[in-house]
Amino acid sequence: MSLSNAESLSAAYAAGFWEAAERGVLAIQHCETCGEDQLYPRRRCVTCGAADLTYRPVSGLGSLYSFSTVLANAPSDFIDEMPYTLAIVELDEGPRLLTRIDSDDPAALRCDMPVQCVFRERDGATLPYFVPAAGTDGGPA
Amino acid sequence: MSRNAAVVGIGEVPVGKFPDRQLLDIAITVAEQALEDGGVDRKEVDTLLMAPCFADPWFNTDLGFARLVDELGMRATVRLNAQVNAGGSTGAALLKVAVGLVESGQSETVLCLHAEKFTNLSGQEGFDFFAKAGIERDFEAPFGMAYNAIPGLTAERYMYETGTPIEQLAEVSVACREWASLHPNAMFRKPMTVEDVLASKVIASPLHALMLNMLGDGGSAFVVTTEDRARSLTETPVYVWGEGDVVSTYSFAQHDDITRMNWSVAGDRAFQQAGVTPEDIDVLEIYIAYPIFHLIIMEELGFCARGEAGALVAAGETRPGGSLPTSTNGDAMSYGHIGAGVGVATLVETCRQLMDKAGERQVPGASIALKTAAGGAYSNANVAILGREPR
Ligand SMILES: [Zn+2]
């Protein structure tokens, strides 16, 4: 599947997310009506349905909630990248996202280990990937 | 004035790769089997409800345009021809809609059916389809999300939290295969061992190929009518005792707890409505397509404590002859994955057990059964409890 199917790349509601990503900043949405934070970006607050959502930057730090390495049967556009490791990261600020975890030592990945956001260009988009946090096994020195 | 509904007839074709079997042949076959099984004349059917067909968009479109009304000889006698699409939860949705229409007096006899032909897709087209179907398009697919990573991510976290070893996930595949070996319509019937499962290739860690499922062609059908009519038609009507359903999120990573989902909420609702407890369940018909979710469902529905389901399965309790016969059609790992219809087939299997028509895999004396369904990125948790007698 091509990224061109991700219509959020050109959609006004998600511009705050992708523009921040291009600056190397991870941003989440904040609902001005009910006060909840959310990721992924949506047109409405998933909690209360309000439309007055604003973007705010987060630290890019979190923990590895879970991970799975794809070794076969990948979607067409990703076959060349196998093996790659998908992950769910829980941000220190609360929201979770599906992402990639890149590590020099995949065997050292553990649930709940600290991770940090790094941005990678892929197919015309700047995507928030994660790596083990600095100072942990497999992370940047 | 409310009245009771009952399932009176079921139909099903063998699942597998049947390139020469046309979708209309599947649909007509399962429809006529279900009508004959229930002793229902086709002219009695006033409502025709159909699950979606994923692999053939034009056949799918035709369903909404009443093609089957012609093909089944039901012109003028059918008053409502409609599709019901809840992804993998479609079987649960069909049952709910059919029973609701009958109990409210809007329909007298409802025929529900599904037909799918995944051999229309190549293997890679199948992977690509399920990289979109049930996958968050904007914020998960761009990372290379693959459907098999959903159970992979779940299993990694579940094993971390509970200490369950991978061998016990393999045991689920083995138990399901043992049931499927007794099912003439299942796609994979050759018995296998835990060693076979663990020797198969890792596809999405920590899961091996034999912990996943294979797409196949198939279809099934069931007929719902009033309790009064059911009693005059058949000795073995099946009744819905209780249902519990939760719809949560489109996006897999947004679940609050992927190792629990919403199964305890759905289960509590169903048990409460049915007025029974897990101890009363004679047969547990899980449709969830991956072993990891079997363990989660068994625990969250209260059949055992958290972290104990793997040992229960390894002890053989879910196999033929065990104390908790589970997924007697083999679930999608062995029955074959026929898209939106696995849940329909699971309902059919549930009714078959309660009708005492399951042949070699009949659970002796089965009178109360619990079945599950789920769709998308496990957006839905559906639990239904059915019985041989009216509640
Ligand atoms: Zn809100």
Side-chain angles (χ1 to χ4, degrees):
Chain A
M1 171 167 48
S2 168
L3 261 179
S4 58
N5 284 342
E7 65 172 23
S8 72
L9 281 171
S10 56
Y13 81 94
F17 178 81
W18 295 118
E19 284 167 12
E22 282 174 23
R23 298 194 311 272
V25 173
L26 186 62
I28 63 174
Q29 277 180 318
H30 178 74
C31 175
E32 300 292 348
T33 297
C34 76
E36 289 289 324
D37 291 332
Q38 69 182 21
L39 196 61
Y40 314 123
R42 294 280 188 240
R43 290 168 173 83
R44 297 286 184 275
C45 170
V46 298
T47 302
C48 76
D52 54 343
L53 298 160
T54 54
Y55 282 92
R56 54 177 55 177
V58 291
S59 63
L61 301 176
S63 62
L64 184 60
Y65 179 72
S66 194
F67 57 97
S68 176
T69 301
V70 178
L71 295 147
N73 303 3
S76 294
D77 290 359
F78 297 88
I79 292 173
D80 293 346
E81 295 177 42
M82 287 193 291
Y84 58 89
T85 303
L86 295 163
I88 297 174
V89 164
E90 181 168 310
L91 299 176
D92 284 355
E93 293 80 5
R96 286 190 196 148
L97 73 159
L98 192 289
T99 180
R100 289 271 195 98
I101 179 109
D102 277 352
S103 168
D104 300 335
D105 184 10
L109 294 176
R110 294 287 180 269
C111 289
D112 288 340
M113 70 187 290
V115 293
Q116 66 185 61
C117 185
V118 292
F119 285 90
R120 299 273 158 84
E121 301 295 321
R122 192 189 183 285
D123 202 9
T126 305
L127 295 171
Y129 282 28
F130 281 76
V131 297
T136 59
D137 285 349
Chain B
M1 181 77 177
S2 132
R3 53 185 186 174
N4 245 344
V7 181
V8 293
I10 53 176
E12 180 184 55
V13 293
V15 174
K17 294 183 186 302
F18 297 98
D20 296 332
R21 189 174 66 184
Q22 302 302 315
L23 280 159
L24 275 172
D25 292 322
I26 298 173
I28 292 168
T29 301
V30 297
E32 291 181 345
Q33 283 177 351
L35 292 169
E36 186 184 352
D37 184 51
V40 178
D41 188 284
R42 70 183 66 222
K43 298 294 186 188
E44 282 184 67
V45 175
D46 58 13
T47 303
L48 187 54
L49 301 177
M50 292 141 300
C53 171
F54 290 149
D56 187 331
W58 280 112
F59 177 78
N60 194 51
T61 302
D62 287 349
L63 293 175
F65 291 123
R67 180 162 193 182
L68 288 182
V69 171
D70 270 0
E71 298 285 349
L72 290 168
M74 292 179 178
R75 275 189 198 174
T77 46
V78 166
R79 298 182 210 172
L80 172 64
N81 174 92
Q83 278 196 288
V84 173
N85 181 358
S89 284
T90 296
L94 281 169
L95 180 67
K96 192 181 282 287
V97 173
V99 167
L101 287 170
V102 168
E103 293 192 343
S104 67
Q106 296 182 82
S107 299
E108 293 300 316
T109 303
V110 184
L111 171 60
C112 300
L113 67 85
H114 167 258
E116 184 57 270
K117 190 173 178 186
F118 274 121
T119 50
N120 283 354
L121 305 180
S122 71
Q124 187 60 44
E125 285 171 334
F127 305 145
D128 288 348
F129 181 81
F130 281 100
K132 294 183 183 179
I135 301 294
E136 152 81 48
R137 209 76 60 80
D138 282 308
F139 298 101
E140 295 189 355
F143 293 94
M145 186 61 165
Y147 204 90
N148 289 328
I150 290 179
L153 289 156
T154 306
E156 185 69 38
R157 183 74 195 184
Y158 175 87
M159 291 162 67
Y160 169 75
E161 288 193 14
T162 65
T164 298
I166 192 77
E167 288 77 9
Q168 293 184 348
L169 270 69
E171 292 276 7
V172 177
S173 293
V174 172
C176 285
R177 180 61 63 88
E178 190 172 332
W179 283 111
S181 73
L182 305 174
H183 191 352
N185 289 340
M187 186 171 182
F188 300 103
R189 303 180 57 200
K190 189 175 157 224
M192 63 185 186
T193 65
V194 167
E195 291 69 32
D196 294 332
V197 177
L198 296 178
S200 66
K201 191 164 72 164
V202 175
I203 304 292
S205 71
L207 304 183
H208 296 254
L210 290 173
M211 296 171 179
L212 311 175
N213 54 71
M214 185 82 87
L215 298 179
D217 309 336
S220 61
F222 61 97
V223 181
V224 177
T225 188
T226 65
E227 179 180 352
D228 284 351
R229 182 73 184 125
R231 287 180 181 286
S232 71
L233 289 169
T234 172
E235 302 282 300
T236 56
V238 171
Y239 302 90
V240 179
W241 285 26
E243 291 174 290
D245 307 276
V246 178
V247 182
S248 51
T249 173
Y250 166 63
S251 311
F252 177 65
Q254 300 286 305
H255 281 283
D256 291 336
D257 184 346
I258 62 174
T259 71
R260 296 176 195 270
M261 305 276 182
N262 296 290
W263 291 104
S264 68
V265 179
D268 287 351
R269 287 176 185 167
F271 281 121
Q272 190 175 11
Q273 198 178 91
V276 299
T277 68
E279 290 71 43
D280 298 314
I281 302 300
D282 300 313
V283 55
L284 175 57
E285 296 290 3
I286 294 177
Y287 154 48
I288 199 76
Y290 295 96
I292 177 60
F293 297 114
H294 278 245
L295 304 184
I296 289 170
I297 286 175
M298 289 168 67
E299 294 168 2
E300 295 300 308
L301 293 187
F303 289 97
C304 59
R306 169 87 164 171
E308 291 180 1
L312 198 70
V313 175
E317 299 300 344
T318 63
R319 296 190 191 198
S323 62
L324 184 60
T326 300
S327 295
T328 64
N329 69 359
D331 198 358
M333 293 89 77
S334 284
Y335 180 78
H337 202 307
I338 52 172
V342 192
V344 184
T346 302
L347 172 64
V348 163
E349 177 73 1
T350 305
C351 293
R352 195 184 274 128
Q353 288 285 350
L354 295 173
M355 292 171 171
D356 204 12
K357 293 176 180 172
E360 278 188 280
R361 61 190 192 289
Q362 179 64 45
V363 175
S367 67
I368 304 176
L370 183 150
K371 71 157 207 58
T372 74
Y378 299 91
S379 320
N380 322 58
N382 307 103
V383 176
I385 296 169
L386 296 93
R388 187 184 286 222
E389 304 294 331
R391 200 206 143 195

